[in-house]
Each structure stands twice: as structure tokens, then as C-alpha cells.
Amino acid sequence: MAGSDIGALLEKLKMLWTLDHGSVVSINLFVALMCACIVIGHLLEENRWMNESITALTIGLCTGVWILLISGGKSSHVFMFSADLFFIYLLPPIIFNAGFQVKKKQFFRNFMTIILFGALGTLISFVIISLGAIGIFRKMNIGKLEIGDYLAIGAIFSATDSVCTLQVLNQDETPLLYSLVFGEGVLNDATSVVLFNAVQNFDLSHINTSIALQLLGNFLYLFISSTFLGFVAGLLSAYIIKKLCFGRHSTDREVSIMILMAYLSYMLAELFNLSAILTVFFCGIVMSHYTWHNVTENSRCTTKHTFATLSFVAEIFIFLYVGMDALDIEKWRFVSDSPGISVEVSSILLGLVLVGRAAFVFPLSFLSNLTKKSPHEKIDFKQQVIICWAGLMRGAVSMALAYNQFTKEGHTQLRGNAIMITSTITVVLFSTVVFGLMTKPLIRLLLPSPGTPKSFINVPLLGNGRDSEADLGAHNFPRPNSLRMFLSTPSYTVHYYWRKFDNTFMRPVFGGRGFVPYAPGTPTEGSEPTMALMESQKVHSVL
């Protein structure tokens, strides 16, 4: 009896070791593939067609084919996709770094246009795709889908992925275009996730005016409260670091508290069912405006590169896995008997994405141009085409939302759900590879020799403390005597009054540019910063 118990125990230990050994092999393979993505991406840096995301996606596809052949058609990936893995571990560093590195003055200078594209534009795209899916897919034999599924499809395919375009655009050469594409991409992801969560939390069996108003109210509540939480978290981190002066003992503590406070803001938003993307994005903006200037010079350099590195690795991980998971045999088994329907559904979704994108980019660009006084601040037709193109690609957010809606732990037993998953994979692959490959040639065709617009030549993108408030205050702003002047003038005067409020009330409490933290060999708070710190601040002022 005892011998059988020992034998069973040894058998369990052997199985456990086998599982652990398999995990180690999987991790080694995935890390090696990520290294290969970095090396190959570097070698193809100057290539006319390729970029980092397409490189990782292609390597993932090739690896998926190899694993599929070795496993005898059982599997094409080494990790099981999890929406929690994406939303809790991979997405936060990407979004936070986006907010931390953004050129804030340029971003807020075009904030209303970004809001138009990222929030209102996403709502328009959501409505068009949802109505198109309801009108078309109900007539097709794709399985049973509820009204909530059709609305979820609208949210899933409204989430853009402008990584390919941002890798080609240059912040310094085309600041207006970059800020619009970048800002709209971040707000678009946040809006799509908020819409998706709103759809899941409401009873949509009987849609009426009351339900529609509740959806709109819930969306506005999530949008405002998530942004507020991000600001509070960023200000709290600035206040803690300013008052406690961690740098006098260790720069590691400064870097650690910034990373942990940023991640805490994201998880708090998840805890309170808010938009964690918006929260961590605005937390990054506030940290770069206040907290970053409160830490020592070594911590500034460390945090900047740490956040950028985490974001870079997370992006490669996502695209590599999406490429491998695209060939998962379990997902395609349910549509193998009718591949034509899957292709047809994918084509319809691509068409709806094109229509939904064009339906708001050009009209909203026209409305935005009405509020601009200077021709250099207006969005010309070529720029509108690039903005429209940038939003045609679908990526990891769409994949994660689709898995969340139509599968459980990456699998499904329903034909309709399987068709939607495989169609999402097809749309993501096609849009990323085909549209992504054409991004560089298109931008070079439309913007053959991009230059900095004249209106921004003498305007610092963030300000370096010497020519921001003084220059703005030297202008004599005319009294608004027309609708156009009324709408365009506040883009300057609001910023001017904000800077006065910021300098008078915010920076004395939370620190910021001009505040020098205590550190051995550096001046104390209130004294003039050293030349090294001034140069460091000048470097960051263009971020």
C-alpha cells in the first residue's frame, strides 16, 4: 500500500517536472523570438516597406507554421492568449509611456481636434459598424448572435492601431500631423474599451431612448472620472517625491515609486470599473509635467529609458503572439466546412471599417478647420488622407476585445463566435500587413519633403521656461468679433492663463520645471538649478 502511494507521488512529481520543463522551453523560445524581432527589425530599419510591428507579426506567423508542423496540427503557439495578460500586464506600459513622452504643448494645442477624432469620431465609427453588422450579418448563415454581440462588434472594430503610421511620422518634422494621429489613437483605444464595457454592462434586449441616454451618460462618466483619477495619481506621486526627497538616499526609490504609482493608477481604474487606458495615459502626462522634474538627474534619465523600454518590449510581445495565435487550429476548425463565409464576413468588416473611418475623418476635419485662423494650423486634404489611413489598421486591442466577447480562455464551441474570432484575426492580419506595408510609400508620396510648419518654428513644443509665458504674454490678442475668432483665440489664451495658474498654485505644491530636488552636490529647493539640470530640463522640454 505504501509502495503504491510512493509510486503515485513519484508519478505526480514527474508530471509536475514535465510541466515546469515545458514552461521553461516555451519561455526560452519566446524570448529568443523577441530577440530575433529586435535584431531583424534593426536590420530592416531603413527598409521602404517593413517596420517593427510587421516584422514581429511576420516572425510570429512563420513560427506558428513551424510549431503547427512539429505538433502535428495540434497547436501553433507556446502560450495561451489571455485578455488579462494583455490588459493587466502588456497594455499599461505602452499607454503610460505614450502619455509620458508626448509633447504636451502640441498635444493640448490640438486637444479639441483630438477629442473630436478620438471620442466623437469613434462613436460615429461604432454606430456605423454596429448598424452595418446588424443589417448584413443577420441575413447571413453565421450562427446565432445577440444584439449585444453586434454592438460589441462595433466597439471591437472601432479600436484602431496607428503604430505603423507613428513609426513613420516624425514629431519634429510634422508636429501637427503626429499629435493628431497619436492623440486620436490613444483616445480611440480608451473610447472603444469604454464603449465595449458599457455594452457588456447594460441589458440591450430592448433598446430605447432611455437605454441610449444611459449608455451616453455612462460613457461620459467613465471618460471624466478616469481622466480625473489619472490626474490625481500623477499629482500624488509628484507631491510624495517632492516632500520626501528620495534622491538624497537612493535614486532607485524614486524610479520605483514612479513605476508603482503609475501602475497603481491603472489597477485602481480597473478596480472601480473605469477606463484604465485613459487613467494611466493622463497619469503619464502629469508625471512628466511635475514628478519628472522633482527627481534627481540620474532618475530622470533612468525613468525615461525604462518606460520606453518596457513599452517597446510589450509591443513586440503583442505582435509576435498575435502572429502565432492567428494559426491556432482550434479557432479555424469550426469554419473549415465553410471558408467562403469567413472570407465574406472578413471582407464586410473591412468595408465597414473603411466606411466608418472615412465617415468622420473628413467631416470632422472640416469642422476643425473652421475653428483655425492660421492656414498652417488647418488640416489639409493630404493630411486628412494620412489620418484616415492611420486608423484603418486593427491590432491587439481589437483581438483582446474579440476574445473577451466571443471566447472563454481562447476557445469557443459556438459557430457564430468562431466565425467572428477568425474574421477578427483575418482583419487584423490583413490590415496590419497590407495597409502597414503601404504606409511608408503613401506618406512619402503625400509628404515628399515634410518640414516644420511655420507657425511652430518659434513655438517650443513644451516650453523651456524662458520663452513660453513671456512670449505668450507679449502678444496682444484681439477681442473675438466673429465665431471663427471666438473659437480659435482661446487655444492660446486658455494656455496662457493655465500657465499662470500652474506657476502660481500648482508648481509650488507639486514641483515641476524650476524645482530642483535635494541631492548630494546639488542645490536645495528654491535655489537656481545647476547647468547640468538646466540642460536636462531643456532636453525633456521637447518631449
Side-chain angles (χ1 to χ4, degrees):
M1 191 72 177
S4 61
D5 292 340
I6 294 175
L9 179 61
L10 291 175
E11 188 68 24
K12 289 183 180 180
L13 291 175
K14 182 179 179 180
M15 292 177 59
L16 182 62
W17 182 87
T18 303
L19 290 174
D20 290 341
H21 182 70
S23 299
V24 172
V25 172
S26 300
I27 293 173
N28 274 278
L29 176 60
F30 212 88
V31 172
L33 289 173
M34 293 177 69
C35 292
C37 290
I38 295 174
V39 173
I40 296 175
H42 172 72
L43 296 175
L44 297 175
E45 182 71 26
E46 302 299 327
N47 187 273
R48 180 179 179 183
W49 304 95
M50 299 295 288
N51 55 54
E52 292 282 358
S53 57
I54 296 178
T55 301
L57 200 60
T58 304
I59 292 176
L61 281 170
C62 296
T63 306
V65 172
W66 177 64
I67 296 176
L68 199 62
L69 294 175
I70 290 179
S71 65
K74 295 180 180 180
S75 177
S76 65
H77 47 70
V78 294
F79 287 121
M80 181 61 65
F81 183 87
S82 170
D84 290 339
L85 171 67
F86 174 76
F87 282 107
I88 296 180
Y89 300 108
L90 299 179
L91 193 60
I94 297 175
I95 302 300
F96 176 80
N97 184 66
F100 192 77
Q101 302 285 0
V102 68
K103 295 184 177 182
K104 295 184 289 295
K105 186 171 183 179
Q106 185 64 25
F107 177 82
F108 287 106
R109 191 185 188 95
N110 301 290
F111 188 69
M112 292 310 299
T113 304
I114 291 172
I115 287 291
L116 277 178
F117 287 154
L120 181 59
T122 305
L123 284 172
I124 294 173
S125 178
F126 164 76
V127 171
I128 290 176
I129 295 175
S130 298
L131 293 179
I134 293 173
I136 298 175
F137 292 155
R138 279 185 170 178
K139 301 177 181 178
M140 300 173 60
N141 181 26
I142 63 172
K144 184 179 180 181
L145 294 177
E146 305 293 337
I147 184 65
D149 294 326
Y150 292 115
L151 294 179
I153 290 172
I156 290 167
F157 289 97
S158 295
T160 66
D161 189 343
S162 54
V163 172
C164 293
T165 307
L166 291 175
Q167 288 176 348
V168 180
L169 293 175
N170 188 292
Q171 291 195 73
D172 298 316
E173 293 177 347
T174 55
L176 172 63
L177 187 58
Y178 188 95
S179 66
L180 292 178
V181 173
F182 168 80
E184 187 245 336
V186 174
L187 290 183
N188 169 276
D189 286 344
T191 304
S192 299
V193 174
V194 169
L195 285 171
F196 183 83
N197 292 334
V199 166
Q200 286 193 323
N201 294 333
F202 279 87
D203 180 15
L204 302 173
S205 56
H206 299 89
I207 296 182
N208 51 38
T209 306
S210 176
I211 293 293
L213 290 176
Q214 288 182 36
L215 280 171
L216 179 61
N218 186 60
F219 169 77
L220 293 176
Y221 162 74
L222 290 176
F223 200 92
I224 295 172
S225 56
S226 302
T227 303
F228 178 76
L229 178 59
F231 272 104
V232 170
L235 291 175
L236 181 60
S237 70
Y239 185 80
I240 291 174
I241 290 179
K242 178 177 181 291
K243 290 299 181 183
L244 298 184
C245 298
F246 290 100
R248 77 177 71 181
H249 299 300
S250 170
T251 58
D252 296 338
R253 294 174 182 173
E254 290 182 321
V255 177
S256 299
I257 199 69
M258 288 184 69
I259 295 175
L260 293 175
M261 286 294 291
Y263 191 67
L264 179 62
S265 71
Y266 186 91
M267 295 309 298
L268 283 175
E270 288 286 336
L271 178 65
F272 296 121
N273 295 319
L274 303 177
S275 173
I277 294 177
L278 270 181
T279 297
V280 78
F281 174 71
F282 282 101
C283 179
I285 290 179
V286 174
M287 278 194 174
S288 69
H289 189 66
Y290 296 109
T291 313
W292 192 83
H293 295 281
N294 294 344
V295 300
T296 59
E297 186 178 1
N298 289 336
S299 296
R300 295 178 190 179
C301 183
T302 302
T303 52
K304 176 185 174 183
H305 292 291
T306 299
F307 295 145
T309 301
L310 290 174
S311 174
F312 178 72
V313 172
E315 286 184 4
I316 292 179
F317 186 101
I318 290 171
F319 280 103
L320 182 62
Y321 188 88
V322 168
M324 296 173 65
D325 192 62
L327 298 175
D328 185 19
I329 198 68
E330 286 295 325
K331 299 180 180 65
W332 295 97
R333 181 168 57 86
F334 291 95
V335 297
S336 58
D337 59 335
S338 54
I341 292 182
S342 181
V343 173
E344 188 176 354
V345 170
S346 302
S347 302
I348 292 171
L349 289 172
L350 275 172
L352 291 174
V353 167
L354 286 166
V355 173
R357 185 70 184 173
F360 77 82
V361 169
F362 297 105
L364 294 184
S365 297
F366 174 77
L367 291 177
S368 176
N369 288 339
L370 291 178
T371 68
K372 305 297 183 182
K373 185 177 180 181
S374 171
H376 297 292
E377 296 176 348
K378 295 185 177 182
I379 311 170
D380 61 37
F381 182 73
K382 292 182 178 180
Q383 291 175 327
Q384 294 176 30
V385 172
I386 293 176
I387 293 172
C388 186
W389 185 268
L392 293 180
M393 284 162 277
R394 297 296 177 266
V397 174
S398 295
M399 291 282 290
L401 295 179
Y403 282 127
N404 194 317
Q405 179 69 23
F406 296 110
T407 72
K408 185 177 181 181
E409 299 299 328
H411 296 291
T412 181
Q413 300 295 326
L414 300 176
R415 184 171 180 273
N417 290 357
I419 289 177
M420 295 314 305
I421 288 293
T422 54
S423 298
T424 303
I425 293 172
T426 304
V427 170
V428 169
L429 290 178
F430 183 88
S431 61
T432 302
V433 176
V434 177
F435 294 160
L437 286 174
M438 298 171 62
T439 298
K440 282 187 180 180
L442 177 67
I443 292 178
R444 290 181 180 180
L445 176 65
L446 296 177
L447 303 174
S449 56
T452 303
K454 294 181 181 179
S455 60
F456 299 118
I457 289 178
N458 296 319
V459 180
L461 296 183
L462 178 58
N464 56 17
R466 294 177 297 178
D467 52 358
S468 53
E469 293 89 342
D471 291 343
L472 288 171
H475 293 290
N476 293 320
F477 295 103
R479 287 181 174 274
N481 55 14
S482 67
L483 177 61
R484 176 173 296 184
M485 291 182 66
F486 178 78
L487 291 174
S488 61
T489 302
S491 64
Y492 301 95
T493 58
V494 168
H495 179 264
Y496 168 70
Y497 287 116
W498 157 250
R499 293 303 293 268
K500 290 186 64 176
F501 174 79
D502 191 28
N503 290 331
T504 305
F505 299 102
M506 299 297 288
R507 287 178 179 170
V509 178
F510 300 105
R513 189 172 58 252
F515 166 77
V516 182
Y518 173 83
T522 61
T524 57
E525 180 180 355
S527 61
E528 289 295 318
T530 62
M531 290 301 297
L533 284 173
M534 290 178 66
E535 288 300 316
S536 175
Q537 290 166 358
K538 282 182 64 179
V539 170
H540 187 72
S541 69
V542 300
L543 293 177

